[in-house]
């Protein structure tokens, strides 16, 4: 009985969200029609739908290209950020050396540097992955380092007094306590990776949703451009919830049921 | 011809009187958006402002940079800017695909400065040499739109080429690092390429589509349908003052470049001078020498529409008057100085 009630309650919650979305889209459509809003200022949902259908034959290829850049950039960011976070926590020297260049990298607008990256690294998916990673990387370093440090000192003292070595302390105490911080940074990082992948496609490349946005806006097809934006946000949302799901599976101990 | 409402006529008379009597009224506030970052091709408009051509026409003009012709077309269509500089092909595409209510009111570039920019070291000498090469280009834009026409006119098969798509600011380093053999762009910006190439002991060259069988119009002054309909007198004054500035800038390029530099200190003086030198052949065509700067012929504009319609597979076929309002040509025409 109890479980059934929860399912019903969940269904109602999702139903509310869906109803709000439908009402929003309907209102958008009606406003566009009533006020006769020109398509190049704000295309109505129906126009966006037809324009997107016209793009359908190439859409899968471009969406997949962007998805690979997002995932590749996201994973590369994790692989690069976590060791740096660990180094920064354990070594004050590493912190002094690493933080200034990291902050510098973070402050540089990637859009300005991306053209150079393209020249340095060459042209193609790997450049897009690096650009996406360069944007997604920073929050992971900061949050993970904060998480590793956020252990209660009493707990550290206690484990040490039981004779646990530094590796065990890291593995059993620091790492688990850092996980909520780590995953909250991943949620930020995945949305940054989406932005990074599209920025990279804006700068160079003839594949991906970023390229489709440029070419449809260049061909004065605003409705198609909006369609690509919608697909891009769906990809972004899907990636975000994939991270949320991973957190539930990997760290069940602090997640709400 | 629509008959002017009495109120409007009175207003027009009043406006003319005020202008003649030396401005008892404040000048009309006008915003004017370029097609791109400020460069030598905009020198004429800075001259018109600095030398008081706009002021004498009763206009207080605010100049601002653009973000591509397509964007400027939308800004003018939406009323965010009253006038703009945009490429003819962008205006044609905007009218055909989305019916953005803008029209050209003067065609400043009688010959589109669109073309192929390459390094002499690559061994490219003629359009035929482009076959089998790697070409860098932007995702969209006039140079890309007109490329198929240029290839067809010269019998080159596009499928033999490798194309790399990149942001406009990336094309220059791509060419200099020899990642591509040639890039598509505005030959009027050749100065920027030459400057960078010289630093590496290379030589940048340009090949204009227009010199190889593709007769397209380039940058034009544009205004919204609303402005054209409601303030024709203002449009006329704006066009005349702007074109006068352009004529002066072409006759006095060094002074014009210095004028821009004074008002826009971040612009590169040497590059602007190069751009103004390139601009001579772009603006001062035979057509401009005969009919005045800003003139466009019905025949060539029609051919232009055909070219763009074809290249972009546009949704509808336009008539010349859909994209170009010819009634604002100054009388007498503004002919090149000297």
């Amino acid at each position: 009985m109890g479980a059934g009630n929860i399912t019903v309650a969940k269904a109602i919650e999702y139903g509310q969200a869906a109803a709000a979305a439908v009402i929003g889209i309907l209102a958008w459509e009606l406003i566009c029609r009533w006020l006769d809003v020109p398509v190049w200022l704000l295309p109505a949902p129906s126009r966006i739908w037809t324009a997107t259908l016209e793009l359908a034959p190439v859409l899968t290829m471009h969406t997949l290209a962007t998805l690979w850049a997002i995932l590749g950039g996201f994973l590369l960011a994790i692989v690069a950020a976590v060791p740096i976070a660990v180094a920064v926590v354990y070594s004050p020297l590493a912190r002094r050396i690493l933080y200034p260049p990291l902050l510098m990298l973070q402050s540089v607008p990637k859009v300005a540097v991306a053209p150079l990256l393209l020249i340095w690294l060459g042209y193609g998916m790997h450049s897009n992955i690096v650009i996406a990673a360069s944007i997604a990387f920073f929050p992971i370093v900061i949050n993970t380092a904060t998480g590793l440090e956020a252990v209660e000192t009493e707990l550290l003292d206690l484990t040490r007094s039981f004779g646990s070595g530094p590796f065990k302390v890291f593995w059993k105490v620091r790492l688990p306590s850092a996980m909520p911080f780590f995953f909250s940074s991943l949620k930020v990082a995945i949305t940054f990776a989406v932005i990074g992948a599209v920025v990279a496609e804006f700068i160079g490349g003839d594949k991906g949703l970023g390229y489709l946005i440029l070419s449809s806006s260049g061909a004065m097809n605003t409705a198609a451009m909006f369609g690509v934006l919608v697909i891009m946000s769906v990809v972004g949302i899907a990636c975000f919830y994939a991270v949320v799901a991973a957190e539930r599976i990997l760290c069940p101990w602090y997640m709400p049921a | 011809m629509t008959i002017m409402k009495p109120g409007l006529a009175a207003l027009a008379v009043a406006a003319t009187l005020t202008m003649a009597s030396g401005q008892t009224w404040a000048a009309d506030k006008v915003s004017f958006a370029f097609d791109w970052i400020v460069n030598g091709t905009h020198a004429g408009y800075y001259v018109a402002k600095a030398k008081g051509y706009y002021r004498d026409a009763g206009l207080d003009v605010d100049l601002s940079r653009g973000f591509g012709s397509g964007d400027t077309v939308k800004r003018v269509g939406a009323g965010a800017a009253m006038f703009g500089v945009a490429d003819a092909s962008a205006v044609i595409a905007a009218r055909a695909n989305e019916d953005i209510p803008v029209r050209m009111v003067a065609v400043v570039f009688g010959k589109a400065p669109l073309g192929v920019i390459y390094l002499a070291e690559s061994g490219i000498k003629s359009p035929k040499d482009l076959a089998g090469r790697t070409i860098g280009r932007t995702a969209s834009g006039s140079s890309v739109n007109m490329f198929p026409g240029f290839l067809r006119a010269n019998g080159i098969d596009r499928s033999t080429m490798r194309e790399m798509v990149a942001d406009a600011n990336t094309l220059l380093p791509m060419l200099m690092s020899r990642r591509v053999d040639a890039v598509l762009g505005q030959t009027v910006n050749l100065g920027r390429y030459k400057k960078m190439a010289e630093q590496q002991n290379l030589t940048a060259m340009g090949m204009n589509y227009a010199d190889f069988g593709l007769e397209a119009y380039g940058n034009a002054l544009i205004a919204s349908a609303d402005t054209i309909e409601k303030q024709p007198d203002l449009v006329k004054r704006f066009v005349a003052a702007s074109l006068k500035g352009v004529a002066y800038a072409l006759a006095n390029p060094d002074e014009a470049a210095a004028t821009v530099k004074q008002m826009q200190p971040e612009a590169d003086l040497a590059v602007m001078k190069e751009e103004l030198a390139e601009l001579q052949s772009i603006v001062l065509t035979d057509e401009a020498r005969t009919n005045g700067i800003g003139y466009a012929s019905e025949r060539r504009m029609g051919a232009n529409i055909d070219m763009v319609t074809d290249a972009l597979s546009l949704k509808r076929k336009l008539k010349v008057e859909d994209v170009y309002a010819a009634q604002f040509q100054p009388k007498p025409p503004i002919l090149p100085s000297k």
Side-chain angles (χ1 to χ4, degrees), chain B residues 64-144:
Chain B
S64 65
R65 68 160 286 191
F67 300 87
S69 285
D71 189 69
T72 304
V73 166
K74 288 185 183 180
R75 274 162 81 184
V76 172
M82 193 173 218
F83 294 101
V85 174
D87 181 78
S89 77
V91 177
I92 295 168
R95 291 288 289 160
N97 267 355
E98 307 216 298
D99 208 10
I100 299 182
V102 298
R103 282 199 284 167
M104 296 178 246
V105 290
V107 180
V108 183
F109 290 8
K111 168 173 140 183
L114 306 169
V116 182
I117 297 168
Y118 57 97
L119 295 174
E121 288 75 11
S122 65
I124 295 173
K125 288 193 181 69
S126 73
K128 290 252 182 279
D129 299 328
L130 291 171
R133 301 283 187 153
T134 307
I135 309 287
R137 64 168 177 91
T138 51
S140 61
S142 319
S143 57
V144 181

Side-chain angles (χ1 to χ4, degrees), chain A residues 202-225:
Chain A
F202 267 30
I203 308 288
D206 50 6
K207 285 189 189 68
L209 297 175
Y211 170 77
L212 267 191
I213 290 174
L214 279 189
S215 56
S216 37
S217 91
M220 292 286 168
N221 194 345
T222 312
M225 191 195 81

